Amino acid sequence: MTDYKINSPSNPRFWALIPCAGTGSRAGSAGPKQYQPLAGQPMVMHTLAAFAAVARIANTAVVVAVDDDFFDSRVATHLIANCGGSTRAGSVFNGLKFLLEQGANPHDWVLVHDAARCLVTSGQIDGLIDACAADVVGGLLAHKLPDTLKSEVEGRVAATLDRSDKWLAQTPQMFRIGMLRDALQQAGDKVTDESSAMEAMGLHPLLVPGSAQNFKVTYPEDFALAEAILNARLKGE
């Protein structure tokens, strides 16, 4: 029997894990996109501020590349794990092992969140916890697909697909630490989110409505949109 099913505490804690070892190649920036300035501070700092405002989060671990010194000169109220892998899945798997070394229990919950989803709010994080804390599997923030969906062959429309059951996966994604660790170990490095690893085990994560603003800053044009939203929030608009 796996260790997350035995000696489980009656009141599991909630941890946050931020994979932050990406190079940001699609963003067209000079360095990792998560460190690019947005609304007066590096993008990842907005992400961390949202989690810091959630009282139920026991602690947040940021998984960075082994040679990443970004946080060395900053006063951190979160944990820094210099164990980033070559893929997102590898970074998350290493980060889960780090959390367990820091005193987390395999039965505790972990909320894995993209560093570049800097527009997530503490209210959305709390909403995910509320929705998933009593669930046997866990779940993720997601956004119901609003647009008409097409499939493509050689640059031309092949078909229009039914969008009624389609969702855009977002983060955080919230699962038991031990269960997610085992799922990622079995799924390998090719999965692009934690839900996919859980699905590969035959599980069905809960879809929790998120927000269109909780997008991942990926391409150059995304920076201007994210900055406009952040500035509007700072002004209380």
Side-chain angles (χ1 to χ4, degrees):
M1 183 179 291
T2 46
D3 56 2
Y4 55 84
K5 295 180 181 177
I6 59 177
N7 299 322
S8 298
S10 56
N11 294 304
R13 290 170 293 176
F14 303 96
W15 302 77
L17 184 67
I18 314 294
C20 193
T23 59
S25 57
R26 288 178 293 178
S29 52
K33 64 181 176 182
Q34 60 269 25
Y35 301 145
Q36 299 304 307
L38 276 181
Q41 59 180 324
M43 184 193 307
V44 70
M45 302 309 292
H46 294 288
T47 304
L48 290 169
F51 282 88
V54 179
R56 287 182 285 182
I57 299 293
N59 211 332
T60 296
V62 184
V63 183
V64 299
V66 175
D67 58 352
D68 190 330
D69 61 358
F70 174 82
F71 290 99
D72 289 358
S73 60
R74 289 171 168 80
V75 177
T77 57
H78 40 269
L79 304 170
I80 303 299
N82 290 91
C83 58
S86 59
T87 64
R88 175 203 168 83
S91 292
V92 173
F93 182 77
N94 293 344
L96 296 176
K97 291 169 59 179
F98 173 83
L99 285 178
L100 293 169
E101 292 167 358
Q102 298 300 311
N105 188 290
H107 193 67
D108 287 344
W109 292 100
V110 61
L111 286 80
V112 183
H113 185 71
D114 300 321
R117 289 188 190 271
C118 59
L119 299 173
V120 71
T121 66
S122 56
Q124 290 163 359
I125 298 167
D126 265 321
L128 181 67
I129 294 174
D130 289 339
C132 295
D135 194 84
V136 295
V137 176
L140 63 151
L141 288 184
H143 187 57
K144 197 75 178 285
L145 190 69
D147 300 313
T148 300
L149 186 64
K150 307 287 186 181
S151 64
E152 170 262 346
V153 173
E154 296 181 351
R156 293 185 177 274
V157 172
T160 298
L161 307 180
D162 179 15
R163 70 182 182 191
S164 62
D165 62 346
K166 304 298 189 298
W167 292 68
L168 299 172
Q170 299 182 337
T171 65
Q173 301 194 4
M174 174 175 156
F175 302 104
R176 303 282 184 181
I177 292 177
M179 188 181 293
L180 180 57
R181 175 200 57 195
D182 290 356
L184 287 169
Q185 189 166 33
Q186 291 183 37
D189 280 353
K190 292 185 178 180
V191 293
T192 56
D193 73 347
E194 295 66 52
S195 178
S196 297
M198 302 296 283
E199 293 160 40
M201 293 182 70
L203 300 172
H204 301 282
L206 182 67
L207 289 165
V208 179
S211 165
Q213 288 191 358
N214 186 24
F215 63 88
K216 187 176 183 181
V217 177
T218 304
Y219 300 105
E221 60 267 27
D222 295 338
F223 285 86
L225 178 57
E227 184 156 49
I229 294 171
L230 287 168
N231 283 329
R233 289 179 182 178
L234 290 172
K235 295 176 182 177
E237 297 177 4

